[in-house]
Amino acid sequence: MSDSQAENLARTLLSVVDPAACAACLDTLEAYVGDQRAGRDYAALHPTTAHHLDACVECAEAYALLYDLAELPAAALPTPARIPPPDLSFLSAAAAAKLAELLRSALTHTGNQVRVQLSPTLITAGRAIPPSMAYRDAGTPALFTLAISDPTPAITQLQISAHATSTDASRCTLQAQITLPDRDWPDLAGINVRAVGTSGTLNAQTDAWGVALFTDLPTADLETLVIEVEP
């Protein structure tokens, strides 16, 4: 054994495992194997990787596995029996966070009166969130759903949603559903709700289940509509 070989062996045996060095090695393994299989001087092209593979058993095992896979013909590569669906739950969380921020900007109140200013951005964000309270007698998917928890001490939850009519997409039904801290189903009748838009002001009162409906609204008016609730 030459002096240089002995020195290299000693340096390798005395090397301390470094997670950062392992990560750097694994990042270069594909290029390392590619250059090796292409007949290039891979050790000279990747000296740090070559030295690390001499000292780290785990990275050397990863290199051997990658090299063996690279040697297999494409037809021989294993095919999973089932590919699980991707977990996109983080998208729902991001959409909910964005909607909550937009709702804070759209919400104002004076005393117990709550005022929600709709906008194209708010409606678009509300399309990605499933309703938290059931929309009764809805025959079409919701155009949007906005659920606001505790907008004032006098209101536990306010949910606003809209559905296009089944016969004319240019018209819609708007629903405001309300729950109160001191009253429960079926004792939620008589809460005043207003829809203020370019076509004028519409007034409604909730039924025993806390639902106020505005029917046959122009769908185009939703983007500038103001909903006012006064329990």
Side-chain angles (χ1 to χ4, degrees):
M1 180 182 294
S2 66
D3 291 342
S4 61
Q5 290 175 322
E7 182 181 351
N8 183 61
L9 177 60
R11 186 168 57 250
T12 297
L13 293 175
L14 294 174
S15 296
V16 178
V17 176
D18 179 5
C22 290
C25 175
L26 294 175
D27 285 342
T28 61
L29 274 188
E30 186 174 357
Y32 183 87
V33 170
D35 286 334
Q36 182 180 7
R37 296 182 68 245
R40 292 186 281 269
D41 190 354
Y42 57 94
L45 291 171
H46 309 279
T48 302
T49 301
H51 174 69
H52 183 82
L53 290 176
D54 286 339
C56 180
V57 175
E58 291 184 357
C59 287
E61 290 176 348
Y63 154 74
L65 178 61
L66 182 62
Y67 188 91
D68 289 344
L69 286 174
E71 290 287 290
L72 289 174
L77 291 176
T79 302
R82 175 181 175 272
I83 300 177
D87 180 7
L88 301 180
S89 58
F90 70 95
L91 295 179
S92 297
K98 178 182 178 181
L99 180 56
E101 181 180 353
L102 291 171
L103 282 172
R104 285 193 296 270
S105 301
L107 180 68
T108 58
H109 61 85
T110 304
N112 288 334
Q113 185 191 71
V114 176
R115 186 175 185 269
V116 181
Q117 172 68 66
L118 301 185
S119 67
T121 304
L122 185 58
I123 288 173
T124 299
R127 289 175 183 150
I129 306 299
S132 59
M133 294 187 291
Y135 182 90
R136 298 187 295 113
D137 301 326
T140 58
L143 298 173
F144 68 88
T145 300
L146 306 173
I148 310 168
S149 297
D150 300 314
T152 72
I155 300 176
T156 304
Q157 188 173 48
L158 167 62
Q159 180 169 293
I160 301 168
S161 56
H163 289 254
T165 64
S166 57
T167 56
D168 184 0
S170 67
R171 315 296 291 185
C172 69
T173 295
L174 181 78
Q175 169 184 285
Q177 187 165 356
I178 302 156
T179 58
L180 304 179
D182 55 349
R183 292 161 58 186
D184 205 349
W185 301 340
D187 185 31
L188 292 170
I191 302 170
N192 295 314
V193 184
R194 285 184 293 275
V196 183
T198 56
S199 301
T201 300
L202 299 175
N203 294 282
Q205 286 192 332
T206 56
D207 61 14
W209 305 98
V211 175
L213 291 177
F214 300 91
T215 59
D216 200 33
L217 289 176
T219 304
D221 285 3
L222 293 176
E223 295 185 347
T224 57
L225 202 65
V226 177
I227 308 300
E228 297 177 349
V229 179
E230 190 168 0

